[in-house]
C-alpha cells in the first residue's frame, strides 16, 4: 500500500482496503501517521467512561486519516501485578472513524463485530506466567482498563499509542454499602443497595478455589439484591450438622436483616457453591429459599455425615487419579463422572421445592455438569417437580461461567487446599462461545431473579 | 408489609456520568396509572441541601421513563430528561442567594434520586420513598490529571486528558469574583483539551503584594501551556466568562506573545480601555458604579455600567484585528453585563473590518449571565463579592430557569464542537452524541 493512498485527503482518496486481506502500513507511512498526529492527533473516546462491569461501552476513534489501519488495544494491570490485554485490528472509514461497536475487527484477540471484545478476549500479555486467572478481590475500587489506539496492525506494540483513555469498570454501584459480617460464627461480606428497601436477598457462594470472592455479590447488590458473599471453605467444620447450621445461619442473617423481605431470599452458587444451594434447598428444615441459581452444578453428596468441606477434601484426594492432558492440565471431569454414577452419592434433588435455574457449559472439563444437569432434571421430573426447573446449557463453554465481559480462562493454576500442591486445572470452553454464554446467562439469571424475587406471578397487576 | 410497594424499581443509567452527560431515569414495576413523584436530593460542599422533583403517572406497563414521559408539575414540567438536575433549588428554609459551585472537582457530585408514592410537593424528609438510588456526576473523566501550576508566579491548575497527547491547549478564565475556579477546565480536559484554569484576580502574587497582575501574567500562562511536552503548542485557545471575556479579547487582539487558534467569550463585552492594564480595566468599570440599578428585590443590576456602548475606539477592544475564530455566547436576559449589546457592536465592527467570517454568535432569549456547563442549577441572583467591592452584594444575573438551562445545554455542545473543529480539525463529532 503506498504512502500516498493512506494520506490523501482529496475526494478521490482510495481506501486502503480493497481486498479481503489487508495491506499493512509500511514503516514509512506509519512514521508519517505518527508525525501527522503530532499536529492533528486522533480522538479516542470510551462511553461511558465509568460503568458497572456488566455494562457495555462504545469505543470510538475519530480524526484518523481515511482508510487507515489501526489497532485498538485494551490493557489492564491486575491486583496480582500481571498485565492483561486484548486488541483488534481495524481500518478507519472515509470520515476517519473506527467504531468498535459497529466495525469488524480483522484480527487480534477477537474478530468480527464485537463491541465488548476488548474486555472478554483479554489474556495475559506474552511472557506472562502461565495459568493465570483474573479475579478482583477488592471490589470497592474499579477495575482500570486503558484503551489505546495504535497505528498499523503487525507490530503495533513497537511504538507509543496515538491516543489512550482510561476507563473504570465498577462492581459496586454508587451508594452500595459493604459490611464485613462476623456474627454467630458466620463470616462473609454483605452488600446492601442504596435506598430504603426492603430488598430481596441472596446468599452467594463461589466454588472450591481459594479466597472469598465478593465480585458477584457486589454486582448483584448493584442490581437491587442484599447479597452475602459467604466464606465457607476457610475453616473446618467439625461435623455435617454444624456445617449445615453454618449455612442456615448465614441464610437467616440475610433473611432477618431489617432491609430484607424475609420470604424473598434466594441462593446463588457456582460449582461447589451450587452443591450447598442444592442441599440447603433439598434438606433444610429451617430455611426455605425462594429460588436457587446453580452454575456448573454439583450434586455429589456422598457419605452423609461428613461436611461439604471434608467431602471436597475427599473428592480432591480421589481426583489425584485424574487424567492429565498433553499440556499438563488436569481434567477432573471423567473421574468425577464415576463418582456421581452411584445414586447413593447424589443429593436428593427431588426434594427441592423452589424454582431452580441450572446453568452449565457443555465443554466443562472440570466437573461433569452436563450429566449432572441431566440427572437433576430426571430426579426432579420423577418427583413431580419438573415445573420448577429451568436449564441453560451452552456449547463450547467451560466450568467458570462468570458475569459478562470477564476474560475466559481455559485452564488456570489451582492450589490443592490440603497438600498445597499446585496443579493446572482445565476448566474448558472456547473463548468466544464461552464469553457469549457469560453474557447470555447473566441476563437470563438476572431476569430469573427479578421474576422470582422481585415480582412473582401473584403480584402481576390487574389491568 | 405491602409487597406491591417493594416492587417499584428505580434505575438511573449511567449511574456514574460526567457532569455534562445525559442520564435516563426509569421507574418500573409500579402499579399502572399510579401517581408517583421522582425527586433528586443533593447536599453541596457548603452543606446546603438542594432538591428537584417531578410528578408522574405510571403508564399501562407500570413504567415511567423521564426522558420520554412528561412531568405534570414540580420544579420542572413537561418531558425533561435532565430536569431533576437543572431544576435543583435550595430546599425551603435555606438562606437566600445561594449558588452551587463545586470546589473539589476530584470527587463526584452525589445526587440521591428517589421515587415516592403519590404527588408530593414538600416534607420529603418525613416520607419513606419506595426506592432510591445514588448517582455520581463527575467533572473529571478517569485518567485526567490535575496539576497545580505555580511556575512563573502563576496561580493556576492544569488538567491533562489521559493518554500520550499531544493535546490542544486551553486557557480558562472566570470573572470578577476571582478565585481559582477549576470545574470547567476539568470538564474540558475530559473532552480532550489540556486546560489551564487561571486565577488572575486573587493570585498568590496579588494577595501578597496587593498589586494586580499585568499582561505578562497571561503570557506566562500561555507559554507554560505551550511548552508543556504534552501540549500541541500551535493549537491553543482561550475561554472566558464575564470579566474573563475582557481578558480573552485583550490577549487575542493585542498580545504579541499569545497566538490563539480560537476564542470563546461568554457573557462579556469588548468595552474596555484599549491598552489598559487589568487594574485599569477594572477601574474603568468601577468608575461607572454609579450606574448600578436595583430591582424591587434590592438585587443589583450592573449591565448599565458599560452602556451605552461607546463610539470612541479607544474604549473598545479592536475586534476588527482578530485573526482567529471567535465564538460569542450571549444571554439576552443578562442583567450583569450588556452582552447582547456588545455582541451587536462586535458584529458591526467585524463586518466593517472584513473579518466577520471569524465570528459566530450564540444568543439565547431569557438566558442570564451565568452560562455554565449544563445540568447544574440556575441562579437568577446570588450573593456576590468582586475583588473591587469588598462587601457582599445580592447580584441579579438574570435568566428564566427553563430557558437558561436549555441555553446552557445548547451552548456547551456548540462550544465543544467549536473547540473540536478549531483545535482538532475534526468535524461533526460522533462522540458527543450522548451529551
Amino acid at each position: 500500500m503506498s504512502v500516498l493512498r493512506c494520506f490523501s485527503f482529496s475526494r478521490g482518496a482510495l481506501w486502503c482496503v480493497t481486498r479481503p486481506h489487508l495491506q499493512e502500513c509500511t514503516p514509512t507511512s506509519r512514521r508519517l501517521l505518527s508525525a501527522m498526529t503530532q499536529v492533528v492527533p486522533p480522538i479516542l473516546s470510551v462511553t461511558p467512561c465509568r460503568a458497572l462491569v456488566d455494562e457495555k461501552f462504545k469505543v470510538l476513534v475519530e480524526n484518523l486519516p481515511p482508510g487507515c489501519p489501526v489497532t485498538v488495544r485494551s490493557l489492564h494491570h491486575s491486583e496480582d501485578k500481571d498485565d492483561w490485554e486484548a486488541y483488534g485490528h481495524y481500518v478507519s472509514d472515509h470520515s476517519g472513524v473506527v467504531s468498535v461497536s459497529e466495525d469488524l475487527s480483522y484480527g487480534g484477540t477477537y474478530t468480527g463485530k464485537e463491541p465488548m471484545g476488548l474486555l472478554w478476549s483479554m489474556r495475559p500479555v506474552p511472557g506472562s506466567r502461565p495459568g493465570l486467572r483474573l479475579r478482583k478481590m477488592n471490589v470497592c475500587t474499579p477495575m482500570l482498563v486503558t484503551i489505546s489506539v495504535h497505528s498499523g496492525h503487525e507490530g503495533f506494540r513497537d511504538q507509543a499509542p496515538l491516543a489512550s483513555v482510561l476507563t473504570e469498570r465498577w462492581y459496586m454501584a454508587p451508594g452500595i454499602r459493604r459490611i464485613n459480617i462476623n456474627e454467630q460464627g458466620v463470616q462473609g461480606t454483605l452488600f446492601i443497595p442504596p435506598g430504603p428497601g426492603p430488598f430481596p436477598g441472596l446468599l452467594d457462594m463461589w466454588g472450591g478455589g481459594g479466597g472469598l470472592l465478593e465480585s458477584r455479590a457486589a454486582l448483584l447488590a448493584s442490581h437491587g439484591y442484599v447479597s452475602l458473599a459467604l466464606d465457607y471453605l476457610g475453616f473446618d467444620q467439625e461435623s455435617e450438622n454444624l456445617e449445615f447450621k453454618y449455612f442456615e445461619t448465614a441464610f437467616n442473617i440475610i433473611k432477618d436483616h431489617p432491609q430484607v423481605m424475609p420470604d424473598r431470599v434466594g441462593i446463588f452458587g457456582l460449582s461447589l457453591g451450587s452443591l450447598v444451594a442444592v442441599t440447603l434447598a433439598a434438606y433444610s428444615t429451617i430455611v426455605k429459599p425462594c429460588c436457587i441459581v446453580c452454575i456448573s452444578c454439583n450434586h455429589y453428596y456422598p457419605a452423609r455425615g461428613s461436611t461439604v468441606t471434608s467431602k471436597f477434601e475427599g473428592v480432591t484426594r480421589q481426583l489425584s487419579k485424574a487424567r492429565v492432558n498433553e499440556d499438563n492440565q488436569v481434567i477432573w471431569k471423567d473421574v468425577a463422572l464415576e463418582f456421581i454414577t452411584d445414586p447413593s452419592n447424589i443429593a436428593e434433588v427431588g426434594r427441592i421445592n423452589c424454582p431452580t435455574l441450572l446453568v452449565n457449559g457443555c465443554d466443562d472439563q472440570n466437573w461433569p455438569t452436563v450429566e449432572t444437569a441431566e440427572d437433576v432434571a430426571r430426579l426432579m421430573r420423577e418427583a413431580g417437580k419438573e415445573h420448577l426447573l429451568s436449564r441453560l446449557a451452552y456449547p463450547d463453554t467451560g466450568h467458570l461461567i462468570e458475569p459478562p465481559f470477564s476474560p475466559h480462562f481455559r485452564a488456570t493454576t489451582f492450589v490443592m487446599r490440603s497438600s498445597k500442591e499446585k496443579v493446572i486445572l482445565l476448566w474448558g470452553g472456547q473463548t468466544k462461545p464461552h464469553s457469549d454464554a457469560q453474557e447470555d446467562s447473566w441476563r437470563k439469571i438476572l431476569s430469573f431473579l427479578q421474576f422470582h424475587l422481585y415480582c412473582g406471578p401473584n403480584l402481576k397487576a390487574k389491568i | 408489609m405491602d409487597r406491591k410497594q417493594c416492587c417499584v424499581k428505580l434505575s438511573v443509567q449511567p449511574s456514574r456520568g460526567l457532569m455534562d452527560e445525559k442520564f435516563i431515569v426509569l421507574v418500573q414495576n409500579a402499579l399502572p396509572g399510579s401517581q408517583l413523584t421522582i425527586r433528586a436530593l443533593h447536599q453541596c460542599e457548603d452543606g446546603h441541601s438542594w432538591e428537584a422533583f417531578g410528578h408522574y403517572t405510571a403508564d399501562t406497563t407500570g413504567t415511567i421513563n423521564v426522558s420520554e414521559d412528561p412531568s405534570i408539575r414540580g420544579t420542572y414540567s413537561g418531558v425533561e430528561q435532565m430536569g431533576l438536575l437543572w431544576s435543583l433549588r435550595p430546599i425551603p428554609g435555606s438562606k437566600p442567594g445561594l449558588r452551587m459551585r463545586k470546589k473539589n472537582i476530584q470527587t463526584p457530585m452525589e445526587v440521591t434520586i428517589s421515587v415516592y408514592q403519590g404527588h408530593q410537593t414538600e416534607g420529603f424528609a418525613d416520607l419513606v420513598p419506595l426506592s432510591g438510588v445514588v448517582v455520581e456526576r463527575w467533572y473529571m473523566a478517569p485518567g485526567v490529571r490535575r496539576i497545580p501550576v505555580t511556575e512563573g508566579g502563576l496561580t493556576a491548575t492544569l488538567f491533562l486528558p489521559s493518554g500520550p497527547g499531544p493535546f490542544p491547549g486551553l486557557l480558562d478564565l472566570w470573572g470578577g469574583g476571582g478565585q481559582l475556579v477549576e470545574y470547567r477546565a476539568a470538564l474540558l480536559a475530559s473532552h480532550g483539551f489540556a486546560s489551564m484554569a487561571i486565577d488572575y484576580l486573587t493570585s498568590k502574587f496579588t494577595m501578597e503584594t496587593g498589586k494586580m497582575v499585568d499582561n505578562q501574567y497571561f503570557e506566562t500562562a500561555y507559554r507554560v501551556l505551550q511548552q508543556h511536552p504534552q501540549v500541541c503548542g500551535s493549537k491553543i485557545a482561550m475561554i472566558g466568562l464575564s470579566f474573563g471575556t475582557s481578558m480573552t479579547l485583550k490577549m487575542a487582539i493585542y498580545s504579541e506573545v499569545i497566538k490563539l487558534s480560537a476564542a470563546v467569550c461568554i457573557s462579556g463585552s469588548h468595552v474596555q480601555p484599549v491598552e489598559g492594564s487589568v487594574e485599569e480595566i477594572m477601574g474603568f468599570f468601577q468608575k461607572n458604579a454609579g450606574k448600578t440599578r436595583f430591582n424591587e428585590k434590592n438585587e443589583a443590576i450592573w449591565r448599565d455600567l458599560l452602556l451605552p456602548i461607546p463610539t470612541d475606539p479607544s474604549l473598545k477592544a479592536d475586534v476588527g484585528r482578530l485573526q482567529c475564530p471567535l465564538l460569542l455566547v450571549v444571554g439576552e436576559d443578562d442583567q450583569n453585563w450588556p452582552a447582547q449589546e456588545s455582541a451587536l457592536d462586535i458584529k458591526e465592527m467585524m463586518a466593517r473590518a472584513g473579518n466577520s467570517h471569524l465570528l459566530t454568535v450564540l444568543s439565547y432569549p431569557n438566558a442570564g449571565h451565568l452560562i455554565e456547563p449544563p445540568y447544574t442549577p440556575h441562579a437568577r441572583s446570588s450573593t456576590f463579592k468582586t475583588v473591587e467591592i469588598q462587601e457582599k452584594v445580592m447580584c441579579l444575573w438574570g435568566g428564566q430557569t427553563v430557558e437558561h438551562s436549555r441555553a446552557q445545554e445548547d451552548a456547551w455542545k456548540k462550544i465543544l464542537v467549536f473547540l473540536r473543529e478549531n483545535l482538532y480539525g475534526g468535524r461533526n463529532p460522533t462522540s458527543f452524541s450522548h451529551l
Side-chain angles (χ1 to χ4, degrees):
Chain A
M1 177 202 72
S2 81
V3 167
L4 288 171
R5 274 165 78 189
C6 191
F7 295 102
S8 171
F9 284 101
S10 69
R11 294 246 170 229
L14 293 168
W15 285 77
C16 283
V17 185
T18 50
R19 298 195 291 262
H21 289 294
L22 286 192
Q23 294 131 324
E24 295 296 286
C25 249
T26 64
T28 320
S29 61
R30 235 190 287 139
R31 271 199 295 280
L32 263 176
L33 172 58
S34 193
M36 214 189 65
T37 55
Q38 285 293 308
V39 178
V40 182
I43 301 166
L44 174 63
S45 60
V46 178
T47 316
C49 53
R50 293 181 173 91
L52 292 179
V53 290
D54 61 354
E55 287 173 347
K56 292 192 173 171
F57 58 24
K58 287 195 158 86
V59 177
L60 195 67
V61 189
E62 294 173 289
N63 226 35
L64 288 166
C68 204
V70 292
T71 299
V72 182
R73 180 209 198 200
S74 61
L75 185 64
H76 169 65
H77 190 71
S78 72
E79 285 171 337
D80 298 330
K81 308 209 194 309
D82 299 297
D83 287 328
W84 293 69
E85 70 166 7
Y87 56 90
H89 299 314
Y90 293 90
V91 175
S92 64
D93 67 12
H94 238 74
S95 54
V97 170
V98 167
S99 164
V100 173
S101 318
E102 306 291 325
D103 300 343
L104 301 185
S105 157
Y106 294 105
T109 58
Y110 66 96
T111 54
K113 184 164 148 174
E114 297 291 351
M116 302 304 290
L118 287 165
L119 291 181
W120 58 252
S121 75
M122 273 186 162
R123 76 274 155 98
V125 296
S128 299
R129 357 169 236 155
L132 292 176
R133 183 171 166 182
L134 187 65
R135 282 181 299 187
K136 194 147 197 326
M137 304 311 278
N138 178 1
V139 297
C140 296
T141 58
M143 174 188 180
L144 297 176
V145 180
T146 301
I147 309 274
S148 54
V149 60
H150 304 245
S151 71
H153 292 170
E154 287 300 318
F156 71 90
R157 281 197 211 82
D158 295 341
Q159 302 150 70
L162 303 173
S164 74
V165 294
L166 188 64
T167 179
E168 292 176 359
R169 309 287 296 169
W170 290 80
Y171 289 90
M172 286 168 67
I176 301 262
R177 279 169 294 151
R178 177 186 175 277
I179 299 166
N180 284 316
I181 297 291
N182 192 347
E183 61 181 86
Q184 303 175 64
V186 170
Q187 285 188 16
T189 314
L190 190 65
F191 293 90
I192 305 174
F199 308 99
L202 279 170
L203 178 61
D204 181 273
M205 288 163 297
W206 284 81
L212 176 59
L213 281 176
E214 299 179 2
S215 47
R216 194 173 58 203
L219 199 53
L220 288 164
S222 301
H223 285 282
Y225 302 91
V226 169
S227 306
L228 175 62
L230 184 66
D231 194 353
Y232 66 98
L233 282 176
F235 17 77
D236 294 303
Q237 300 287 350
E238 288 160 25
S239 74
E240 186 192 8
N241 283 338
L242 271 181
E243 187 191 53
F244 218 64
K245 256 207 154 36
Y246 182 83
F247 295 116
E248 289 169 329
T249 308
F251 186 95
N252 284 335
I253 285 173
I254 305 169
K255 177 169 156 293
D256 296 334
H257 191 284
Q259 281 181 283
V260 172
M261 294 187 260
D263 53 349
R264 296 281 153 131
V265 181
I267 308 178
F268 197 135
L270 178 139
S271 195
L272 193 63
S274 67
L275 175 61
V276 176
V278 151
T279 49
L280 275 176
Y283 295 113
S284 176
T285 50
I286 298 179
V287 305
K288 300 273 164 247
C290 186
C291 66
I292 62 174
V293 176
C294 299
I295 300 183
S296 301
C297 190
N298 180 339
H299 68 341
Y300 181 56
Y301 200 52
R304 225 128 295 144
S306 64
T307 61
V308 164
T309 324
S310 63
K311 270 189 249 298
F312 184 60
E313 292 292 305
V315 160
T316 53
R317 261 196 302 273
Q318 288 170 282
L319 288 169
S320 58
K321 290 185 272 169
R323 188 160 67 88
V324 174
N325 69 7
E326 63 276 8
D327 294 314
N328 211 33
Q329 297 159 343
V330 178
I331 301 168
W332 282 354
K333 180 187 73 161
D334 305 319
V335 178
L337 189 54
E338 291 168 25
F339 303 158
I340 62 170
T341 46
D342 182 351
S344 65
N345 284 340
I346 302 305
E348 295 161 81
V349 296
R351 297 165 60 128
I352 294 177
N353 274 325
C354 66
T356 300
L357 175 63
L358 296 185
V359 181
N360 66 278
C362 301
D363 189 39
D364 192 333
Q365 297 298 319
N366 184 257
W367 197 260
T369 53
V370 175
E371 291 82 354
T372 301
E374 288 294 333
D375 211 32
V376 169
R378 179 182 57 81
L379 290 167
M380 287 184 78
R381 197 182 316 129
E382 285 167 7
K385 306 282 180 68
E386 198 177 9
H387 61 286
L388 293 173
L389 182 65
S390 319
R391 291 174 55 185
L392 297 170
Y394 295 97
D396 296 318
T397 297
H399 187 76
L400 297 174
I401 301 175
E402 306 202 3
F405 316 133
S406 53
H408 162 245
F409 340 97
R410 189 163 163 80
T412 65
T413 321
F414 188 86
V415 178
M416 305 296 280
R417 215 176 129 238
S418 50
S419 66
K420 303 291 176 233
E421 188 197 345
K422 253 193 197 171
V423 297
I424 300 205
L425 282 186
L426 183 66
W427 306 108
Q430 301 300 323
T431 297
K432 165 74 176 145
H434 187 98
S435 303
D436 283 345
Q438 290 192 153
E439 203 181 325
D440 187 76
S441 61
W442 186 246
R443 207 176 33 248
K444 292 186 170 135
I445 288 168
L446 289 178
S447 154
F448 173 85
L449 293 174
Q450 164 106 357
F451 184 77
H452 291 292
L453 298 180
Y454 258 102
C455 265
N458 55 315
L459 289 175
K460 248 206 174 68
K462 295 181 178 59
I463 297 168
Chain B
M1 172 183 16
D2 187 351
R3 276 189 199 167
K4 286 178 226 148
Q5 275 189 334
C6 316
C7 261
V8 173
K9 201 168 181 338
L10 174 67
S11 66
V12 180
Q13 282 295 326
S15 53
R16 290 181 175 92
L18 290 180
M19 287 297 295
D20 58 358
E21 281 176 355
K22 291 193 180 158
F23 56 28
I24 297 178
V25 178
L26 202 60
V27 175
Q28 293 169 298
N29 291 345
L31 282 177
S34 59
Q35 293 189 330
L36 297 170
T37 303
I38 303 179
R39 179 212 192 205
L41 179 67
H42 169 66
Q43 192 176 49
C44 67
E45 285 168 336
D46 303 332
H48 300 289
S49 292
W50 298 67
E51 73 174 6
F53 62 89
H55 289 166
Y56 292 88
T57 305
D59 67 15
T60 49
T61 65
T63 303
I64 297 168
N65 182 335
V66 174
S67 56
E68 291 173 0
D69 302 329
S71 156
I72 302 153
R73 85 186 66 78
T75 56
Y76 65 96
S77 60
V79 180
E80 294 292 349
Q81 183 168 359
M82 303 303 290
L84 286 163
L85 290 182
W86 58 251
S87 74
L88 281 169
R89 81 259 154 112
I91 55 172
S94 300
K95 79 175 202 206
L98 294 175
R99 181 177 165 192
M100 190 192 290
R101 304 187 93 184
K102 203 171 197 313
K103 285 211 180 74
N104 178 3
I105 41 70
Q106 297 189 92
T107 57
M109 173 188 180
E110 280 187 17
V111 183
T112 301
I113 299 193
S114 316
V115 59
Y116 295 83
Q117 193 90 59
H119 284 170
Q120 313 292 340
T121 50
E122 56 184 0
F124 287 98
D126 300 322
L127 298 170
V128 178
L130 297 173
S131 186
V133 295
V134 177
V135 176
E136 290 177 1
R137 306 287 293 169
W138 292 78
Y139 278 104
M140 282 169 74
V144 168
R145 288 155 288 166
R146 177 183 175 273
I147 303 160
V149 177
T150 50
E151 196 181 327
L154 292 170
T155 300
T157 311
L158 175 63
F159 291 93
L160 285 175
S162 67
F167 309 103
L170 202 53
L171 295 163
D172 183 299
L173 306 179
W174 285 84
Q179 309 301 313
L180 182 51
V181 181
E182 296 184 355
Y183 55 86
R184 189 175 58 199
L187 199 50
L188 287 164
S190 303
H191 287 290
F193 304 99
S195 309
M196 188 188 286
I198 304 168
D199 180 357
Y200 61 96
L201 288 177
T202 52
S203 66
K204 188 158 177 278
F205 169 79
T206 298
M207 300 315 278
E208 283 174 358
T209 64
K211 294 200 206 122
M212 284 214 172
V213 303
D214 57 17
N215 299 347
Q216 242 187 2
Y217 187 84
F218 298 96
E219 290 169 348
T220 302
Y222 175 84
R223 265 204 224 95
V224 166
L225 191 57
Q226 191 189 37
Q227 284 162 11
H228 193 286
Q230 282 179 284
V231 174
C232 191
S234 59
K235 297 271 172 185
I236 297 181
M238 210 153 156
I239 179 166
L241 180 140
S242 196
F243 194 70
T245 290
S246 311
M247 300 295 104
T248 300
L249 288 172
K250 186 170 147 56
M251 295 302 141
I253 297 165
Y254 298 109
S255 171
E256 307 271 303
V257 171
I258 296 178
K259 298 285 162 244
L260 297 179
S261 298
V264 179
C265 292
I266 305 171
S267 303
S269 174
H270 59 322
V271 174
Q272 57 180 255
V274 163
E275 306 289 1
S277 66
V278 177
E279 183 150 26
E280 282 161 351
I281 296 175
M282 265 264 162
F284 174 76
F285 298 153
Q286 255 313 95
K287 227 172 45 190
N288 298 321
K291 288 191 187 170
T292 307
R293 278 186 290 128
F294 292 87
N295 68 2
E296 67 283 359
K297 293 195 199 148
N298 214 31
E299 294 162 336
I301 299 168
W302 287 344
R303 69 186 327 275
D304 298 332
L305 267 60
L306 294 183
L307 290 176
I309 304 286
T311 45
D312 178 356
S314 73
L315 290 176
K316 299 192 284 194
D318 190 0
V319 289
R321 283 170 51 176
L322 260 176
Q323 294 189 319
C324 72
L326 170 66
L327 176 66
L328 288 183
V329 182
V330 168
E332 290 171 14
D333 190 39
D334 191 334
Q335 297 298 319
N336 193 252
W337 280 63
Q340 189 174 26
E341 292 88 334
S342 306
L344 285 169
D345 196 61
I346 290 173
K347 207 162 159 200
E348 262 180 45
M349 286 174 74
M350 289 178 77
R352 265 182 272 131
N355 66 345
S356 55
H357 60 283
L358 294 172
L359 178 67
T360 311
V361 180
L362 302 173
S363 187
Y364 298 98
N366 287 321
H369 182 71
L370 300 173
I371 300 179
E372 303 212 20
Y375 316 135
T376 43
H378 164 239
R380 183 169 165 79
S381 61
S382 70
T383 51
F384 188 69
K385 193 174 80 162
T386 67
V387 293
E388 288 284 307
I389 310 166
Q390 285 305 307
E391 47 172 277
K392 276 197 173 166
V393 171
M394 189 68 81
C395 211
L396 183 68
W397 308 112
Q400 301 301 322
T401 298
V402 174
E403 285 128 310
H404 187 96
S405 302
R406 288 211 215 297
Q408 292 194 150
E409 195 181 333
D410 187 74
W412 184 248
K413 239 200 222 135
K414 292 187 165 128
I415 289 170
L416 290 176
V417 170
F418 174 80
L419 290 173
R420 175 83 79 93
E421 270 176 18
N422 287 292
L423 299 179
Y424 270 102
R427 303 217 151 258
N428 296 322
T430 319
S431 53
F432 292 155
S433 57
H434 58 291
L435 296 183

